[in-house]
Amino acid sequence: MGDTLYVANTSEDRVVAVDLNKNVLTSFVQAGKNAPVENAGAKVTGFNSPDNLAQGPDGRLWIVEDNYLSDIYVAGKDNDKDGAADKVELFGSLKDPGAEISGIYFGKDPKSLFFNVQHPDKPKADGTWKITRR
């Protein structure tokens, strides 16, 4: 996204932004900072183990987690220039505890979001899924 490189840091529950012009690294999305913290014991989904990223057609950053239950988050832009996304929202969660989202991307049609699902508990559910906005 321009002169910024985004990196999913799975073990630290954050996505870092590297400003390639200034050589500055910031926490763009981080559990407890601008995203909710996962609490599996209380069955509360939260930002945990991000490992797949995609740029949306509107410039927002889409983030997939490798956690229980696998989630998709959307990070807005950094309009106040503090290095962190101004808004982070949960887009959706898988309901199958054995499944994991393993990739995310947009097709040529900007209204179509694709994501890959692996390890589902249901037979023949492995594969690429598509969500289309009307």
Side-chain angles (χ1 to χ4, degrees):
M1 293 191 233
D3 296 328
T4 304
L5 172 67
Y6 296 94
V7 180
N9 190 329
T10 304
S11 63
E12 294 181 0
D13 297 334
R14 68 181 181 146
V15 174
V16 297
V18 181
D19 183 320
L20 299 175
N21 291 326
K22 298 177 184 176
N23 292 324
V24 174
L25 182 140
T26 58
S27 289
F28 188 67
V29 177
Q30 185 171 358
K33 181 177 180 180
N34 57 358
V37 175
E38 179 88 7
N39 185 344
K43 297 185 179 180
V44 174
T45 191
F47 197 74
N48 186 15
S49 302
D51 68 349
N52 293 268
L53 307 174
Q55 180 180 359
D58 61 358
R60 295 184 299 164
L61 185 67
W62 291 71
I63 306 162
V64 169
E65 304 170 315
D66 184 13
N67 69 333
Y68 172 94
L69 301 160
S70 195
D71 300 318
I72 300 173
Y73 279 88
V74 185
K77 297 181 181 181
D78 176 19
N79 294 318
D80 61 6
K81 307 292 184 210
D82 66 352
D86 296 337
K87 186 176 186 181
V88 180
E89 300 174 279
L90 177 63
F91 174 77
S93 299
L94 293 182
K95 296 296 181 188
D96 183 342
E100 159 187 349
I101 301 172
S102 60
I104 188 169
Y105 58 96
F106 287 86
K108 291 181 182 179
D109 172 7
K111 294 181 179 182
S112 295
L113 170 68
F114 297 87
F115 59 96
N116 302 312
V117 176
Q118 63 182 7
H119 312 307
D121 287 338
K122 297 166 186 65
K124 299 183 181 180
D126 239 1
T128 301
W129 292 72
K130 176 182 175 182
I131 298 175
T132 303
R133 183 181 60 180
R134 294 179 186 229

